[in-house]
């Protein structure tokens, strides 16, 4: 069984906590009153059947729901320590968040030397969203990431499926790294 640490980051009010609660099955209700995360919330859960390279593998997930408030930026290196992947969430109705996610990508992916396959970009559509489901105007480095549109009211299972595929890619990457390490010990 793999232990996976994923950090969930994004600008303020992008829908990170709702997404984290949904993905970890922490709540039945989607939505509710806005309450900003202070620092970080850590949700732990099991994912018994993740498809990694055609194999069904179990994993335990630590999903770190990180505050989008800039006052916690000094904590980012500590939040990233030993992480295996990053999920960047942004609100499609707020165009200014496109610039903010560039900074998050730089800090959480590039500076940590995480491979892009370990990063998932989620264009979150809140209830009554007016934004379309087309390709947002992303910076060049963000265009190579896997982009998922999420609307938890209209199509929640599409989001869960995309997240499980991402989780499978992370597990696969970790499995390959572990196999290489074992081979280097043997030889």
């Amino acid at each position: 069984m793999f232990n996976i640490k994923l950090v969930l980051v994004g600008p303020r009010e992008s829908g990170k906590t709702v997404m984290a609660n949904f993905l970890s099955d922490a709540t039945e209700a989607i939505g509710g009153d806005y309450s900003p995360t202070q620092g970080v919330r850590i949700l732990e859960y099991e994912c018994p059947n993740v498809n990694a390279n055609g194999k069904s593998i179990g994993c335990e997930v630590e999903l770190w729901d990180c505050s989008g408030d800039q006052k916690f930026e000094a904590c980012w290196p500590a939040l990233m320590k030993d992480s295996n992947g990053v999920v960047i969430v942004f609100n499609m109705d707020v165009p200014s968040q496109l610039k903010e996610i560039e900074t998050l990508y730089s800090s959480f992916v590039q500076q940590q030397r995480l491979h892009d396959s370990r990063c998932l970009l989620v264009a979150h559509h809140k209830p009554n969203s007016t934004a379309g489901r087309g390709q947002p105007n992303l910076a060049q480095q963000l265009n190579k990431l896997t982009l998922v549109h999420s609307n938890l009211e209209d199509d929640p299972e599409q989001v869960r499926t995309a997240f499980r595929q991402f989780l499978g890619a992370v597990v696969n990457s970790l499995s390959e790294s572990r196999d290489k390490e074992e081979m280097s010990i043997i030889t």
Side-chain angles (χ1 to χ4, degrees), residues 3-128:
N3 293 317
I4 308 294
K5 176 184 174 183
L6 300 175
V7 292
L8 187 74
V9 298
R12 290 177 60 146
E13 297 188 52
S14 57
K16 298 177 299 296
T17 296
V18 170
M19 184 71 58
N21 288 342
F22 172 75
L23 293 172
S24 66
D25 293 323
T27 184
E28 293 294 319
I30 295 172
D33 294 332
Y34 175 69
S35 178
T37 300
Q38 298 300 311
V40 65
R41 296 171 52 237
I42 303 170
L43 298 107
E44 297 180 272
Y45 63 100
E46 288 186 20
C47 229
N49 299 311
V50 175
N51 182 1
N53 247 4
K55 297 179 202 168
S56 183
I57 297 175
C59 62
E60 293 182 2
V61 178
E62 277 185 18
L63 187 58
W64 291 48
D65 175 15
C66 303
S67 172
D69 195 321
Q70 293 293 319
K71 71 182 180 183
F72 296 108
E73 188 173 346
C75 300
W76 289 357
L79 299 176
M80 274 303 297
K81 185 174 176 16
D82 299 328
S83 67
N84 305 112
V86 176
V87 179
I88 301 174
V89 179
F90 66 100
N91 183 341
M92 283 290 289
D93 287 317
V94 184
S96 64
Q97 289 191 359
L98 294 176
K99 190 70 178 160
E100 290 181 65
I101 63 174
E102 286 180 52
T103 301
L104 293 168
Y105 174 78
S106 174
S107 297
F108 283 89
V109 180
Q110 289 180 321
Q111 289 178 17
Q112 304 303 320
R113 293 190 170 95
L114 263 177
H115 192 273
D116 285 339
S117 66
R118 292 194 189 187
C119 183
L120 179 66
L121 191 58
V122 179
H124 188 58
H125 299 263
K126 291 185 174 185
N128 304 317

Side-chain angles (χ1 to χ4, degrees), residues 105-177:
Y105 174 78
S106 174
S107 297
F108 283 89
V109 180
Q110 289 180 321
Q111 289 178 17
Q112 304 303 320
R113 293 190 170 95
L114 263 177
H115 192 273
D116 285 339
S117 66
R118 292 194 189 187
C119 183
L120 179 66
L121 191 58
V122 179
H124 188 58
H125 299 263
K126 291 185 174 185
N128 304 317
S129 173
T130 58
R133 293 179 77 73
Q135 178 68 24
N137 190 19
L138 298 171
Q140 183 178 0
Q141 69 268 25
L142 298 175
N143 276 321
K144 54 190 171 184
L145 301 176
T146 300
L147 172 69
V148 175
H149 285 270
S150 75
N151 187 325
L152 297 180
E153 289 195 341
D154 292 345
D155 195 1
E157 288 312 306
Q158 184 244 349
V159 176
R160 191 178 311 277
T161 299
F163 181 75
R164 288 182 69 84
Q165 288 172 343
F166 167 67
L167 195 53
V170 171
V171 168
N172 187 49
S173 178
L174 291 174
S175 178
E176 288 175 1
S177 295

